Amino acid sequence: MLTDDPATPQAAAREAAAQEAAARAVDARLAARLGELRGACGWSLDELARRSGVSRSTLSRLERGEISPTAALLGRLCPVYGLTMSRLLGEVEAEPAQLVRAGEQSVWKDEDSGFVRRSVSPPHPGLRAEVVEGTLRPGAVIAYDAPPVPGMEQHIWVLEGAVEVTVQGARHLLAAGDALRFRLWGETRFHCPGPEPVRYAVVVVLP
């Protein structure tokens, strides 16, 4: 007889299947939203490629939902549209509630870079701050050429492990409990030196 006990293999398989289906649905809505944003700007794929530095073929496949967006790819597109990654992802989800239970928080994974991003407090119209939890596997690197909104404020607080954060050329090695705050005008890079994964919180405050 089947049981709903989460410890059973059947329940675990159903949970994994549900999470995979949810991730595919988010990717599909994200692809559609990216196409809408480009259309609203009146840009061709060639023009967006010029502005973002992403190839036309990659943009075309992304908008058709043939490939999943990576953190690096979204990091190039968000500044072009003047959006933070959280706000872009928030646009393809339902209106966030004031109370967000742990099990209801949106989780997005970039399998290529080993980056997992949890929206602890999803962005909300009229509110400037949001809290994000990031996890990087050992050796993983994510980099952003420019902030989506110049001058945005960030606070990084390491919860577990260690992370090397480079902000506009200045390198900072943060261990568990360490915090770094800055206004962002240029490129950033996050690297997990290992040997363990790193888990950190990021508070983003728009100017």
Side-chain angles (χ1 to χ4, degrees):
M1 183 178 71
L2 293 178
T3 174
D4 290 332
D5 183 346
T8 65
Q10 296 92 336
R14 287 196 295 274
E15 178 66 19
Q19 291 179 355
E20 184 177 349
R24 287 198 301 267
V26 170
D27 280 352
R29 293 196 297 271
L30 185 54
R33 181 57 182 148
L34 289 171
E36 292 171 358
L37 287 169
R38 181 174 61 81
C41 292
W43 296 337
S44 66
L45 284 171
D46 288 328
E47 176 62 16
L48 180 56
R50 184 187 68 79
R51 290 173 177 265
S52 66
V54 179
S55 71
R56 184 187 189 283
S57 61
T58 297
L59 292 171
S60 177
R61 295 184 64 199
L62 178 62
E63 291 185 8
R64 292 200 304 268
E66 296 177 358
I67 59 174
S68 296
T70 64
L73 185 53
L74 292 181
R76 287 182 174 272
L77 293 176
C78 284
V80 173
Y81 293 124
L83 296 170
T84 65
M85 191 182 299
S86 289
R87 290 191 178 275
L88 176 60
L89 294 174
E91 288 182 0
V92 300
E93 298 172 350
E95 178 74 9
Q98 289 184 322
L99 173 63
V100 185
R101 303 292 184 185
E104 299 170 349
Q105 293 166 4
S106 175
V107 177
W108 181 75
K109 299 180 180 180
D110 179 356
E111 300 292 349
D112 289 346
S113 68
F115 175 50
V116 179
R117 185 181 190 286
R118 176 184 293 273
S119 293
V120 179
S121 59
H124 190 280
L127 300 180
R128 294 187 301 168
E130 60 187 274
V131 181
V132 174
E133 179 192 81
T135 303
L136 281 173
R137 66 188 177 210
V141 174
I142 53 173
Y144 306 98
D145 292 335
V149 181
M152 63 189 291
E153 183 180 350
Q154 286 195 2
H155 300 248
I156 300 171
W157 181 30
V158 180
L159 305 175
E160 299 174 359
V163 63
E164 181 184 270
V165 183
T166 303
V167 183
Q168 294 155 191
R171 186 177 68 88
H172 309 274
L173 182 59
L174 309 178
D178 291 348
L180 175 68
R181 63 182 181 181
F182 51 88
R183 285 195 181 276
L184 186 57
W185 301 97
E187 61 184 7
T188 51
R189 181 180 185 270
F190 292 74
H191 169 233
C192 176
E196 303 168 344
V198 63
R199 187 169 66 91
Y200 56 91
V202 181
V203 179
V204 179
V205 185
L206 296 179

